[in-house]
Amino acid sequence: MSKTNIDEINRNIYNIKNKDEYDFKIKKGLTPEIIEEISKQKNDLNWMKEFRIKALEVYNKLEMPTWGPDLSELNMEEIATYVRPKTKLNNSWEDVPEDIKNTFDKLGIPEAEKNSLAGVGAQYDSEVVYHSMKEELIKQGVIYTDMETAIKEYPKLVQDHFMKCVPVHDHKFVALHGAVWSGGSFVYVPKGVKVDIPLQSYFRLNSPESGQFEHTLIIVEEGASLHFIEGCSAPKYNKVNLHAGCVELYVKDNAYLRYSTIENWSKNMLNLNTKKAIVGKNAKMEWVSGSFGSKISMLYPMSILNGEGAKTEFTGISFAGGGQNLDNGFKVIHNAPNTSSVINAKSISKNGGKCTYRSLVRIAENAKNSKSSVSCDSLMLDNNSISDTIPTNDIRTDEVEFSHEAKIGKISDKTIYYLMSRGLSEEDAKAMIVRGFAHPIAKELPIEYAVEMNNLINLEF
């Protein structure tokens, strides 16, 4: 995204609202009839239709979370779970309807595609409206397409992996996702193929009182490597919108995957996303995450280290302003010997915002000689904000190295005074301190997203 000048950026870019025009919008609510209608509209294969119906049954049996943020304002009777825009899937931006194309233009997606990406997928409401990939990757056997196309063109590959990494019984909102999912991306990187330039999917929700439930499925075969970038945003409405996507990542033996995300949802959004990776022998999974926007967020990416020598790293930051409750964290399961995890989480809260870091590190009895390091830093910018750290460390063998460090603090008045004495305004001084605090995260992001993250920090001030 070509956003390099702070003066060019304002919240209106993310608050672009097109008319709520659509080819089809399911009625609000969540019933078997609605699920069957979604399946009909999407022309599902029989196995997928049955999967959706069973997922709804699981959803109805599971309880709401009894911990974390209060979700009582979520009323599924007021949410439309499927909205099909007035366009089909296109492989040229010129074929995308003008209003939708203009939205992605202002978000910088076509420009980023030209300058720094090997492929792009763009979703608008419930369907992918644009998808492309460079010819050289196609020649190498790389598959990058929307999920609906993948199900029809690579049925066995999808069915063997779909919601096996993230089963529908995991929690209530995974079951909801299984019932109503639509859109998302499918990536397959063959054995030994190195994808040197990132792929990116961008998810944009426009329709009010609706939900987005995209499904991302990535398979990186043995010895292959990939960097995948995900961006998302939505305009602000007066009523609740819901995001309950699902990301399933399979990192096979000796493979490498980096998954970078900047979530910039509007502050009427409930972000109840689920992301999980299964990591093979001597493979490495890296997560880089920035969480902005959202009225409520409950997001805990997870790595399951099943292969000996598997590694994972998580680098994440959350920024909660007034009226926001961001409950984020990371989970890792060490299921094999000589595995390692490094977790570096940061949070910033201001104007009464609340950030919670919630984590799980489990090292199994057979995971001898494994290592895990957790660092959690929280910065509060005033006396009204809240920051909590709630770690769970489940270590089942003595033959490990494990460390956990948590720090919570406020900006020093002396530091602000010093910077103001050098000519900065109070707002600029605070923004500079926060950018410095966030720098370890920003440097791990692609440059366009690092710039965007710094701009988002400036906007908060």
Side-chain angles (χ1 to χ4, degrees), residues 345 357 374-378 388-391 403-409:
Y357 173 75
V374 182
S375 175
C376 178
D377 297 336
S378 300
D388 290 324
T389 301
I390 308 174
S403 65
H404 181 98
E405 176 187 3
K407 292 184 288 186
I408 297 177

Side-chain angles (χ1 to χ4, degrees), residues 215-390:
H215 193 94
T216 298
L217 175 56
I218 299 177
I219 304 165
V220 184
E221 288 286 7
E222 183 178 349
S225 66
L226 171 69
H227 182 190
F228 190 86
I229 304 169
E230 175 191 276
C232 36
S233 64
K236 185 175 181 180
Y237 293 103
N238 293 325
K239 293 189 177 181
V240 165
N241 277 30
L242 173 63
H243 177 239
C246 180
V247 175
E248 298 187 283
L249 310 175
Y250 295 87
V251 191
K252 303 297 180 70
D253 294 353
N254 300 298
Y256 168 82
L257 174 59
R258 171 174 278 211
Y259 194 93
S260 300
T261 308
I262 287 286
E263 301 211 19
N264 183 26
W265 296 113
S266 54
K267 293 181 182 179
N268 63 297
M269 177 71 78
L270 305 187
N271 182 27
L272 310 177
N273 211 0
T274 304
K275 303 179 180 182
K276 192 184 294 188
I278 296 176
V279 189
K281 183 178 181 180
N282 294 321
K284 186 172 184 180
M285 175 71 219
E286 294 182 355
W287 303 86
V288 181
S289 176
S291 182
F292 297 79
S294 304
K295 183 172 186 179
I296 290 174
S297 178
M298 297 178 74
L299 176 58
Y300 322 96
M302 181 178 189
S303 287
I304 303 173
L305 307 179
N306 278 346
E308 183 172 359
K311 298 178 175 66
T312 191
E313 293 183 11
F314 173 82
T315 306
I317 189 165
S318 301
F319 196 133
Q324 291 181 268
N325 187 343
L326 304 187
D327 199 286
N328 296 329
F330 185 71
K331 297 186 286 187
V332 58
I333 310 295
H334 293 253
N335 273 340
N338 303 303
T339 51
S340 68
S341 59
V342 178
I343 301 163
N344 181 19
K346 291 178 177 285
S347 69
I348 304 161
S349 51
K350 70 183 286 280
N351 292 342
K354 181 176 182 179
C355 280
T356 301
Y357 173 75
R358 195 182 301 270
S359 70
L360 168 67
V361 176
R362 178 176 296 152
I363 302 180
E365 291 179 4
N366 67 324
K368 300 185 186 304
N369 301 314
S370 291
K371 300 177 181 179
S372 182
S373 172
V374 182
S375 175
C376 178
D377 297 336
S378 300
L379 183 63
M380 293 181 291
L381 304 186
D382 51 53
N383 293 324
N384 301 320
S385 300
I386 300 171
S387 183
D388 290 324
T389 301
I390 308 174

Side-chain angles (χ1 to χ4, degrees), residues 19-249:
K19 288 183 179 179
D20 188 25
E21 297 179 335
Y22 42 81
D23 186 52
F24 176 83
K25 186 171 185 176
I26 200 80
K27 67 180 182 179
K28 296 176 183 178
L30 195 63
T31 65
E33 292 74 24
I34 287 174
I35 301 306
E36 290 192 13
E37 182 60 29
I38 292 174
S39 187
K40 177 183 175 183
Q41 290 291 328
K42 297 186 70 60
N43 195 26
D44 277 340
L45 300 177
N46 284 336
W47 75 267
M48 181 56 70
K49 178 180 178 181
E50 292 173 3
F51 186 95
R52 291 182 187 277
I53 293 170
K54 290 178 181 176
L56 179 64
E57 293 172 358
V58 174
Y59 170 83
N60 288 328
K61 291 176 183 177
L62 293 177
E63 299 293 327
M64 291 285 283
T66 55
W67 46 270
D70 179 10
L71 299 176
S72 59
E73 67 178 310
L74 175 60
N75 180 1
M76 290 305 300
E77 296 302 313
E78 295 297 323
I79 298 290
T81 52
Y82 178 67
V83 184
R84 184 172 63 233
K86 283 187 169 182
T87 182
K88 59 179 179 23
L89 177 64
N90 304 280
N91 56 21
S92 168
W93 282 111
E94 298 307 313
D95 296 329
V96 177
E98 195 67 21
D99 57 341
I100 298 176
K101 178 179 178 294
N102 286 342
T103 297
F104 287 110
D105 270 336
K106 290 173 182 175
L107 292 166
I109 308 305
E111 187 69 19
E113 178 184 13
K114 283 187 287 187
N115 294 334
S116 56
L117 298 170
V120 164
Q123 179 162 331
Y124 189 85
D125 287 332
S126 297
E127 295 290 354
V128 176
V129 299
Y130 173 83
H131 227 290
S132 74
M133 183 172 65
K134 291 188 181 297
E135 187 66 30
E136 52 262 41
L137 291 186
I138 297 174
K139 291 177 180 177
Q140 291 178 286
V142 176
I143 301 168
Y144 177 42
T145 188
D146 64 293
M147 278 299 298
E148 279 80 2
T149 299
I151 286 175
K152 292 176 173 61
E153 295 187 2
Y154 313 100
K156 187 175 189 310
L157 194 56
V158 174
Q159 193 168 3
D160 285 349
H161 293 85
F162 183 83
M163 296 200 80
K164 302 289 174 60
C165 178
V166 183
V168 292
H169 290 87
D170 261 15
H171 60 79
K172 192 172 183 69
F173 294 101
V174 164
L176 171 65
H177 173 90
V180 302
W181 79 272
S182 183
S185 294
F186 176 80
V187 183
Y188 177 82
V189 185
K191 182 178 179 179
V193 173
K194 312 290 185 183
V195 181
D196 297 324
I197 304 174
L199 302 175
Q200 174 185 285
S201 287
Y202 199 96
F203 303 105
R204 177 71 178 179
L205 182 62
N206 179 73
S207 188
E209 295 181 272
S210 64
Q212 193 168 59
F213 308 94
E214 79 285 350
H215 193 94
T216 298
L217 175 56
I218 299 177
I219 304 165
V220 184
E221 288 286 7
E222 183 178 349
S225 66
L226 171 69
H227 182 190
F228 190 86
I229 304 169
E230 175 191 276
C232 36
S233 64
K236 185 175 181 180
Y237 293 103
N238 293 325
K239 293 189 177 181
V240 165
N241 277 30
L242 173 63
H243 177 239
C246 180
V247 175
E248 298 187 283
L249 310 175

